[in-house]
Amino acid sequence: MADDLLAALAEVVGATHVLTDEGTTLPFRTDWTGRWTGECRAVVRPGSTAEAAAVVRACAAAGVPVVPQGGNTGLVAGSVPAVGSVVVSTRRLDAVGEVDDSTGQITAGAGATLAAVQAAAAAAGWRYAVDLAARDTATVGGTIATNAGGHHVVRHGMTRRHVVGVEAVLPDGSVISHLGGLVKDNTGYDLAGLLCGSEGTLGVITAARLALVPAVEQRAVALVGFTGTAAAVAAIGPLRRRLPALEALELVFADGVAAVGEARGARPPFDGAAALLLVEVAGSGDLLEGLAPVLADLDGVVDTAVATDGPRCEELWRWRDDHTDVINQVGDTPPHKLDVTVPLDRLGRFVEEVRALVADLAPAARLWLFGHAGDGNLHVNVTGLAPDDETVDRAVVELVAGSGGSISAEHGIGRAKRPWLHLNRTPEEIAAFRSIKDALDPAGILNPGVLVPERR
Ligand code: FAD
Ligand code: MLT
Ligand code: ZN
């Protein structure tokens, strides 16, 4: 049967796009951090929506699970294949269409990278506002399937806000396509919205119609060092209130900045800053005129570096963006990565509590905190833990839930956080998830083991 299926898949996509060799499939079976590796029968790379549909149909007929995968940069093991599955890699579906200048929209294949969409938008005088450090690899389909957040959520919202329509293959191999781009279109259920954040459990997205925003004329970036966490957190409200052009508001700490500096062979920007905020404003006119008095009014500031030209702005951003790569190199085992939101008025207290918790449970481990401060989204990374020991992870998510927060701010639930979904979702909500899953995927073909808990 397995051979029959592989032959059928090769018939659909061509034998060169059915990968079965263990070495060749390894990068598709291992997550970005290297913490999880799965097993699959094959990685299949369809070159069109019709091929993707035929692949899903063949797998469904054989009762073989399908794991959709884009850039494989996800951080919750959502694209790590279940045993015996077929990985459907969308990377060949990378066409990026023309920008429609009247609506500010673009149609892109699910396998197009964020960077490719951003570049196409920029060339036409527009901007795709979704941005994250994995932009060169993360795909349109993956960012929709995870409802990715990133740097600009404070101003532009999560990916869902930018998705006008999608084309997707449903678990039975049928295709839904709604890429017309009508701005107003109240014709029933929001299937595109449903697929946002569905993590490959409801459909294989093959293309999307995306909304762009006008390109910004200028931007300014300030890296502001504070005496401590309390002063940095206290600055979040005034910065949000007083800077209408606020585009990003990110938080890092001295230890993370020092590690980035060591990796880059560069001196950290300031001495004596325990916590730092990266503030980006974007718009037209003299941005510094608006930014300077706001920064001057903040309390507990040690020092500030400001940039307005592109390269220097990028330079300041690297102190923040390089955290993920640098932390992934610390120690002999991959980091445990949690991605949480706490109510902004609890953020300062949460930082102290999570530090105490990790020090207590795993004194030899190292805790790294950074994140999207403007959204109350903190990335809690712990290095020096055994890959399978979830004691610290569990304690942290319980602390988050007890603080009124979310155990997944932006990365999703995946396999990694599925056991803890009940901390944030009621039994009734989980039952509704299950009903939706069962309605669209009664045979459980798409991404089993991800997001939706097993039926009881
Ligand atoms: P994958 O990793 O391939 O898949 C992720 C999930 O989506 C899986 O469940 C998969 O099954 C599903 N999926 C993928 N493609 C499809 C499809 N076409 N149809 C249906 N389901 C699909 N995330 C943030 O939110 N904010 C950040 O700031 C951020 N920064 C990051 C920085 C770095 C350096 C790295 C490595 C990751 C970062 N991430 C961030 C996480 C990751 O980039 C995002 O989750 C991204 O959306 C994943 O896209 P992908 O194409 O790599 O998806
Ligand atoms: C980030 O904001 O840098 C990411 O979400 C990646 C991470 O959590 O490491
Ligand atoms: Zn993030």
Side-chain angles (χ1 to χ4, degrees), residues 2-53:
D3 285 351
D4 287 353
L5 175 62
L6 293 184
L9 296 176
E11 189 82 5
V12 173
V13 297
T16 51
H17 296 300
V18 179
L19 315 177
T20 52
D21 175 73
E22 286 222 350
T24 317
T25 59
L26 188 61
F28 298 86
R29 293 187 287 114
T30 305
D31 79 302
W32 187 88
T33 66
R35 185 171 167 204
W36 291 282
T37 298
E39 286 173 39
C40 64
R41 285 166 201 255
V43 174
V44 179
R45 300 186 297 189
S48 67
T49 299
E51 287 186 9

Side-chain angles (χ1 to χ4, degrees), residues 31-36 72-79 134 146 324 328 335-339 370 379 381 410-417:
D31 79 302
W32 187 88
T33 66
R35 185 171 167 204
W36 291 282
N72 200 19
T73 64
L75 296 172
V76 290
S79 55
T146 57
T324 307
N328 223 49
H336 287 224
K337 294 177 81 71
L338 294 165
D339 153 47
F370 59 102
H379 295 311
N381 288 199
E410 54 176 13
H411 296 163
I413 295 296
R415 293 181 191 287
K417 295 185 198 158

Side-chain angles (χ1 to χ4, degrees), residues 32 67-75 78-79 90 110 131-134 137-139 141-143 145-146 148-151 199-200 203-205 324 372 410-411 447 450:
W32 187 88
V67 178
Q69 189 180 99
N72 200 19
T73 64
L75 296 172
S79 55
T90 60
D131 189 32
L132 34 103
T137 315
T139 62
T143 50
T146 57
H151 299 330
E199 300 187 43
V204 182
I205 298 157
T324 307
H372 312 284
E410 54 176 13
H411 296 163
N447 229 358
V450 169

Side-chain angles (χ1 to χ4, degrees), residues 16-182:
T16 51
H17 296 300
V18 179
L19 315 177
T20 52
D21 175 73
E22 286 222 350
T24 317
T25 59
L26 188 61
F28 298 86
R29 293 187 287 114
T30 305
D31 79 302
W32 187 88
T33 66
R35 185 171 167 204
W36 291 282
T37 298
E39 286 173 39
C40 64
R41 285 166 201 255
V43 174
V44 179
R45 300 186 297 189
S48 67
T49 299
E51 287 186 9
V55 167
V56 173
R57 257 195 314 274
C59 291
V64 168
V66 167
V67 178
Q69 189 180 99
N72 200 19
T73 64
L75 296 172
V76 290
S79 55
V80 175
V83 176
S85 60
V86 164
V87 173
V88 174
S89 168
T90 60
R91 289 188 209 180
R92 288 178 65 217
L93 305 176
D94 60 355
V96 178
E98 299 276 306
V99 171
D100 176 341
D101 198 45
S102 57
T103 56
Q105 295 178 2
I106 191 167
T107 299
T113 61
L114 269 190
V117 174
Q118 289 169 346
W126 291 85
R127 183 163 69 114
Y128 187 47
V130 177
D131 189 32
L132 34 103
R135 61 185 74 78
D136 291 324
T137 315
T139 62
V140 164
T143 50
I144 293 173
T146 57
N147 187 28
H151 299 330
H152 297 145
V153 173
V154 72
R155 187 169 194 180
H156 299 284
M158 310 278 282
T159 297
R160 180 178 280 116
R161 197 195 280 181
H162 308 274
V163 177
V164 182
V166 296
E167 178 180 83
V169 179
L170 296 182
D172 63 357
S174 59
V175 175
I176 53 169
S177 186
H178 208 74
L179 300 174
L182 296 178

Side-chain angles (χ1 to χ4, degrees), residues 15 23 70 320 353 391:
R320 159 63 180 94
E353 287 171 346
T391 315

Side-chain angles (χ1 to χ4, degrees), residues 268-288:
F270 327 115
D271 293 325
L276 299 88
L277 287 178
L278 183 142
V279 184
E280 179 173 287
V281 287
S284 53
D286 186 348
L287 293 173
L288 288 184

